[in-house]
Amino acid sequence: MRCCVYLFHSAPQCSKSKMAAGESGARAPCLSFSAPGPLGNVQPSNSAHSSPASNGASAGATGGAQGATGHSNPQPGRGSGGGAGVALGAPPNTRNPSQASAAQNAPAAATNMTAAATAAAASSAAAIATPPPVPAAPPSAAVLVYREPVYNWQATKSTVKERFAFLFNNEVLSDVHFLVGKGMGVQRIPAHRFLYSDEVQIGPETVMTTLYTAKKYAVPALEAHCVEFLKKNLRADNAFMLLTQARLFDEPQLASLCLENIDKNTADALAAEGFTDIDLDTLVAVLERDTLGVREVCLFAAAVRWAEAEAQRQQLQPTPENKRKALGKALALIRFPLMTIEEFAAGPAQSSILTDREVVSLFLHFTVNPKPRVEFIDRPRCCLRGKECSITRFGQVESRWGYSGTSDRIRFSVNRRIFVVGFGLYGSIHGPTDYQVNIQIIHTDSNTVLGQNDTGFSCDGSANTFRVMFKEPVEILPNVNYTACATLKGPDSHYGTKGMRKVTHEAAATGTKTCFTFCYAAGNNNGTSVEDGQIPEVIFYT
């Protein structure tokens, strides 16, 4: 789309004296407005064929201005009443050839009209009847290429697009000028503050400036093109940068796509160079998410890198105290209880970013039962989409089931790939009670532990099941044998009976069926079997 994008470029401004002297430096050429008047407080240009017309009245003044610059028969009543304005001059048989030539070929220096000519251009149609003479171009002026005559040029163009194309880089109706270059090579380029066409040409270097311009001047079509370009070019290595821009420009759809990309490629997005450049609010918006696909120890390391960069931006030494200050509320969003004790001891515990009290409380959380309360979130993140599902393998609940340190175990397989995120377990028959529990999923053939969690849960004495979750989802492949284990410490509990060997879950929205097959787990299993026992519920995502 041909448009005056560079009007709003954020490069440093140059003074007129510097531009006249030809200073350019290593940056792109500086741009300068010729004068202030409408839409950007840019006054009408005094060039030979330049006149803004923002309403019907100014359209008449446009015709007068052209009469003042060399038309012997101005027509004050003609012209467009719309935004861009249409300038109409004298018929060809009444035009003074020498004056028309001077008006067409006048360079930048010819914009210094006399005060009388300026007054004539701004007066009403009646006052334009006797236009002043056109000032001659200075001898040193460069000769411009002859352009199409101004008189009734609209009639020679069949479409609006062609008319706009004619105005491109043309003095006709120009209301702003750029001075580009340096020294003797400086050029004065005419421009107009409107879009010439709906042909869009956007690149990585210009898309953010163009989006800013489209937002500022309310051009929704151009804004949509910019957002679409950003969507097509969204990658893990630029997701954080685009997320910051989407939040800045209030583009919720683009922000949502950026967050989804970060969820799916969290490690790569955190490793990207642009991650440390984001603002604190963007960091908080990401750390709040339950759908990040990365371990908490990696999130902590990334947050420390960001804090170091932020301390430098604030011209502070990257001390632990300043890093903590820079992180602010983001520190509390890192879920330290989801780390292993080894991960915590090797990283956060030695960083000096956490207080001594926080370190002690977290070590107690990892090592003692019952676990003390900590100030950090212990809810597992789940990097999965869709709706949480669960199946129950028992038809009836009874009491009582005792525990002596032996694991309750049951084997199972599924017909399709799923992710198990936790179990539902029975609680005490003696009223509200706290249990300590270790849950595991083991690959049966290799005896490899695929997921586990040492945690606890509180029950209310009812026959309901109580959720116990893994720290991370455990991938379960189709037609592979796995063993679900739960080792409880606590009083006697309820248990299930009338167990089913096969349990099928059907998704309401899609009709997809997930079939579980349960089998007896040989060995010491605390009595749990297909027919009776613990681990009544499996919680999963498809």
Side-chain angles (χ1 to χ4, degrees):
M1 178 175 286
R2 300 170 184 161
C3 59
C4 300
V5 170
Y6 295 107
L7 275 169
F8 320 108
H9 198 280
S10 58
Q13 295 182 353
C14 295
S15 67
K16 293 185 178 179
S17 60
K18 287 186 177 181
M19 294 183 62
E23 291 186 16
S24 60
R27 63 174 65 93
C30 294
L31 305 180
S32 173
F33 302 131
S34 59
L39 281 182
N41 296 324
V42 177
Q43 295 299 331
S45 169
N46 293 332
S47 62
H49 301 294
S50 162
S51 173
S54 60
N55 53 41
S58 60
T62 300
Q66 292 184 353
T69 58
H71 298 175
S72 60
N73 186 21
Q75 301 177 33
R78 300 175 62 185
S80 169
V86 178
L88 298 178
N93 60 344
T94 59
R95 177 181 294 218
N96 186 314
S98 61
Q99 290 180 343
S101 175
Q104 286 289 347
N105 297 318
T111 59
N112 298 319
M113 277 187 170
T114 63
T118 305
S123 64
S124 64
I128 303 175
T130 308
V134 177
S140 60
V143 178
L144 296 179
V145 177
Y146 177 77
R147 300 293 295 192
E148 185 172 337
V150 175
Y151 169 71
N152 203 22
W153 59 267
Q154 297 95 329
T156 66
K157 313 299 179 186
S158 60
T159 64
V160 173
K161 180 178 179 180
E162 290 179 355
R163 293 169 188 156
F164 283 169
F166 169 81
L167 292 176
F168 177 67
N169 208 21
N170 195 334
E171 290 284 354
V172 174
L173 300 179
S174 171
D175 56 2
V176 66
H177 291 79
F178 299 115
L179 297 180
V180 181
K182 59 182 179 178
M184 297 299 295
V186 67
Q187 298 182 47
R188 183 174 182 273
I189 302 175
H192 309 76
R193 282 166 300 175
F194 58 82
L195 304 180
Y196 292 97
S197 75
D198 57 0
E199 297 174 2
V200 179
Q201 295 179 356
I202 301 173
E205 299 82 8
T206 60
V207 61
M208 299 314 304
T209 305
T210 307
L211 179 58
Y212 168 79
T213 304
K215 282 278 190 181
K216 182 175 181 179
Y217 291 96
V219 187
L222 181 58
E223 177 186 339
H225 279 295
C226 293
V227 173
E228 190 62 28
F229 178 88
L230 293 173
K231 290 178 184 177
K232 291 180 180 178
N233 290 272
L234 174 62
R235 305 182 307 274
D237 60 357
N238 63 16
F240 274 106
M241 182 274 290
L242 293 183
L243 175 60
T244 301
Q245 299 297 328
R247 289 166 56 84
L248 175 65
F249 291 129
D250 190 24
E251 288 289 345
Q253 186 180 19
L254 177 60
S256 178
L257 291 175
C258 290
L259 289 170
E260 289 180 11
N261 188 286
I262 292 170
D263 286 343
K264 296 176 182 178
N265 308 280
T266 309
D268 291 338
L270 292 174
E273 183 177 352
F275 165 70
T276 57
D277 296 329
I278 65 177
D279 59 280
L280 177 60
D281 288 340
T282 301
L283 178 65
V284 168
V286 172
L287 293 180
E288 286 176 336
R289 295 178 68 78
D290 290 332
T291 47
L292 298 178
V294 70
R295 295 188 63 82
E296 294 300 315
V297 68
C298 297
L299 280 179
F300 176 77
V304 171
R305 284 195 297 112
W306 180 89
E308 291 173 351
E310 180 65 15
Q312 292 180 357
R313 285 190 287 269
Q314 297 181 16
Q315 298 182 344
L316 300 173
Q317 291 296 320
T319 62
E321 294 78 13
N322 288 336
K323 292 178 187 177
R324 182 183 179 102
K325 180 180 178 182
L327 285 169
K329 57 186 177 182
L331 182 63
L333 299 176
I334 298 175
R335 306 181 185 186
F336 295 101
L338 301 184
M339 299 180 184
T340 66
I341 188 171
E342 295 80 10
E343 290 172 340
F344 179 76
Q350 300 184 43
S351 68
S352 298
I353 292 178
L354 296 175
T355 65
D356 292 342
R357 183 178 60 82
E358 290 168 339
V359 171
V360 170
S361 68
L362 284 166
F363 270 124
L364 291 175
H365 175 82
F366 290 128
T367 56
V368 304
N369 291 313
K371 297 183 182 300
R373 179 183 175 275
V374 292
E375 298 177 2
F376 299 97
I377 302 171
D378 61 357
R379 182 178 68 255
R381 299 185 196 265
C382 181
C383 58
L384 304 174
R385 298 290 171 186
K387 185 178 179 180
E388 182 182 283
C389 309
S390 64
I391 56 99
T392 301
R393 67 188 190 94
F394 294 121
Q396 187 172 320
V397 182
E398 299 287 350
S399 60
R400 85 184 40 209
W401 198 262
Y403 305 99
S404 58
T406 302
S407 298
D408 288 271
R409 294 169 174 251
I410 189 70
R411 282 173 55 194
F412 72 94
S413 63
V414 291
N415 66 327
R416 61 196 303 266
R417 179 175 178 255
I418 64 170
F419 291 87
V420 173
V421 295
F423 299 144
L425 302 178
Y426 289 122
S428 173
I429 60 174
H430 302 293
T433 308
D434 292 333
Y435 281 88
Q436 295 302 311
V437 60
N438 172 274
I439 57 173
Q440 295 181 336
I441 290 183
I442 301 172
H443 185 273
T444 304
D445 294 340
S446 65
N447 201 35
T448 302
V449 177
L450 303 178
Q452 67 173 340
N453 191 17
D454 284 301
T455 183
F457 69 94
S458 299
C459 63
D460 57 8
S462 69
N464 297 327
T465 59
F466 300 91
R467 293 161 60 92
V468 181
M469 308 300 285
F470 291 100
K471 291 185 176 181
E472 293 181 340
V474 181
E475 183 180 22
I476 303 297
L477 300 177
N479 305 315
V480 176
N481 289 322
Y482 300 90
T483 303
C485 305
T487 306
L488 282 79
K489 293 181 181 179
D492 292 349
S493 72
H494 295 88
Y495 73 97
T497 64
K498 297 184 179 181
M500 295 169 280
R501 185 169 297 274
K502 289 191 175 183
V503 180
T504 300
H505 177 276
E506 182 174 352
T510 63
T512 303
K513 294 182 179 180
T514 304
C515 182
F516 285 76
T517 301
F518 294 95
C519 300
Y520 178 77
N524 195 346
N525 53 32
N526 199 42
T528 288
S529 65
V530 174
E531 292 80 15
D532 305 288
Q534 259 284 14
I535 317 180
E537 191 174 65
V538 179
I539 306 168
F540 64 99
Y541 282 76
T542 57

